[in-house]
């Protein structure tokens, strides 16, 4: 009854050239598509995604050209669009939210991109500030009384289950305990559910990101850093979570795999 696909496209125009839009079109049936790292203007985004058919676009474009950018593509018009998380991050292109009318009723959709960070640096401090603001907004959304879905690239592996080479990444951004604590806090009281983990269970992965370098993809040395969190009322309707891992390295159109969540 509701299918939402979330993916970091690493530049929508590059993803289009590599076959990403064709992949999304073949998948079909997506009511909403959430994009991260769009790296394009709204007209460029609309041109690149024309092959998907008619979608309404809510796009938070980054002030810096060719950087970040997040978008919500929905079959029905998006309402009450909010293009920033908090004032310090205005123009960063990392957060967009809107209410979308679906067969399940209105759902507050969020596409989010959390930058990578760097341990013990101002860049990491900014990442923590963003996660703190995100925590405050998630509490507001949970209290709003409207089912909500927050999905995107968080650049955090929550536990050792979410990263193949955990020992080799101790002390590095993306696998820092202080980062992981945010994800634990969001799900601790049951207001938010990590749909990927809820569906897969206590297993390694499934991973959603692999470096382009070396044999990481072929050996499945990946990270699960692309998430979908739903409020408890929406999570109860979860039917499936699908990670669209490419069949081969040559068929990849992003270093991230799309994550599709389906509700019934």
């Amino acid at each position: 009854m509701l299918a939402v696909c979330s993916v970091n496209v690493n530049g929508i125009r590059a993803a289009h050239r590599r076959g990403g839009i064709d992949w999304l079109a073949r998948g079909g049936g997506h009511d909403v598509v959430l994009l991260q790292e769009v790296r394009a203007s709204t007209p460029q985004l609309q041109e690149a995604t024309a092959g998907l058919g008619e979608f309404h676009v809510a796009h938070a474009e980054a002030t810096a050209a060719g950087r970040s950018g997040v978008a919500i593509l929905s079959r029905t018009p998006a309402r009450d669009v909010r293009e920033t998380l908090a004032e310090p991050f205005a123009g960063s292109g990392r957060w967009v939210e809107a209410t979308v009318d679906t067969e399940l009723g209105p759902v507050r959709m969020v596409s989010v991109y959390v930058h990578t960070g760097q341990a013990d640096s101002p860049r990491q401090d900014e990442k923590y500030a963003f996660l703190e603001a995100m925590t405050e907004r998630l509490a507001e959304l949970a209290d709003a009384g409207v089912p909500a879905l927050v999905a995107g690239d968080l650049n955090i592996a929550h536990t050792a289950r979410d990263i193949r080479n955990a020992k080799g990444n101790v002390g590095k951004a993306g696998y820092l305990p202080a980062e992981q604590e945010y994800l634990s806090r969001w799900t601790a009281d049951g207001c938010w559910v990590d749909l990927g983990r809820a569906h897969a269970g206590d297993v390694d992965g499934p991973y959603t990101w692999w470096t382009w370098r070396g044999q990481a993809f072929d050996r499945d040395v990946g990270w699960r850093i692309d998430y979908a969190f739903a409020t408890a009322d929406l999570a109860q309707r979860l039917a499936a979570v699908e990670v669209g891992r490419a069949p081969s390295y040559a068929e990849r159109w992003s270093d991230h795999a799309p994550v599709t969540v389906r509700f019934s």
Side-chain angles (χ1 to χ4, degrees), residues 101-149:
D101 292 320
T102 75
E103 290 189 15
L104 302 183
V107 177
R108 192 68 175 168
M109 299 283 180
V110 178
S111 180
V112 57
Y113 170 62
V114 180
H115 67 281
T116 54
Q118 183 178 354
D120 301 318
S121 75
R123 184 172 174 80
Q124 188 67 25
D125 294 338
E126 182 185 356
K127 185 176 185 180
Y128 287 134
F130 188 93
L131 290 167
E132 195 64 37
M134 188 173 168
T135 300
E136 295 177 9
R137 183 58 183 155
L138 289 179
E140 294 172 351
L141 290 170
D143 291 339
V146 177
L149 178 70

Side-chain angles (χ1 to χ4, degrees), residues 166-181:
K167 290 183 179 179
N169 285 280
V170 171
K172 297 181 181 178
Y175 196 59
L176 298 172
E179 296 173 317
Q180 296 165 327
E181 177 60 24

Side-chain angles (χ1 to χ4, degrees), residues 4-134:
V4 182
C5 181
S6 175
V7 58
N8 181 321
V9 294
N10 269 184
I12 191 65
R13 289 167 291 176
H16 184 204
R17 291 193 300 271
R18 292 169 176 155
I21 302 306
D22 290 341
W23 185 95
L24 289 168
R26 286 196 306 271
H30 296 134
D31 301 289
V32 179
V33 178
L34 307 177
L35 303 176
Q36 301 89 46
E37 289 208 87
V38 172
R39 301 179 188 170
S41 67
T42 298
Q44 289 169 332
L45 167 61
Q46 292 172 321
E47 180 181 1
T49 57
L52 295 178
E54 185 176 351
F55 272 96
H56 299 270
V57 176
H59 178 207
E61 185 178 343
T63 302
R67 300 289 298 277
S68 302
V70 289
I72 300 170
L73 279 58
S74 57
R75 296 289 184 187
T76 58
R79 299 185 281 109
D80 303 321
V81 177
R82 173 172 169 164
E83 295 184 355
T84 190
L85 175 59
E87 187 58 34
F89 307 105
S92 66
R94 297 179 192 161
W95 181 277
V96 63
E97 62 178 80
T99 299
V100 177
D101 292 320
T102 75
E103 290 189 15
L104 302 183
V107 177
R108 192 68 175 168
M109 299 283 180
V110 178
S111 180
V112 57
Y113 170 62
V114 180
H115 67 281
T116 54
Q118 183 178 354
D120 301 318
S121 75
R123 184 172 174 80
Q124 188 67 25
D125 294 338
E126 182 185 356
K127 185 176 185 180
Y128 287 134
F130 188 93
L131 290 167
E132 195 64 37
M134 188 173 168

Side-chain angles (χ1 to χ4, degrees), residues 191-259:
C191 288
W192 290 94
V193 177
D194 175 353
L195 300 180
R197 182 53 63 214
H199 185 263
D202 188 22
V203 300
D204 291 340
Y207 307 123
T208 64
W209 177 86
W210 305 261
T211 178
W212 289 109
R213 300 188 297 272
Q215 299 296 311
F217 182 80
D218 294 333
R219 296 168 52 207
D220 200 22
V221 181
W223 299 51
R224 188 175 79 101
I225 57 176
D226 301 271
Y227 294 81
F229 291 91
T231 48
D233 47 1
L234 183 59
Q236 291 176 354
R237 308 290 296 269
L238 181 66
V241 179
E242 303 157 4
V243 176
R245 189 180 191 274
S248 68
Y249 183 96
E251 295 169 88
R252 300 176 75 190
W253 49 272
S254 172
D255 53 358
H256 294 257
V259 176

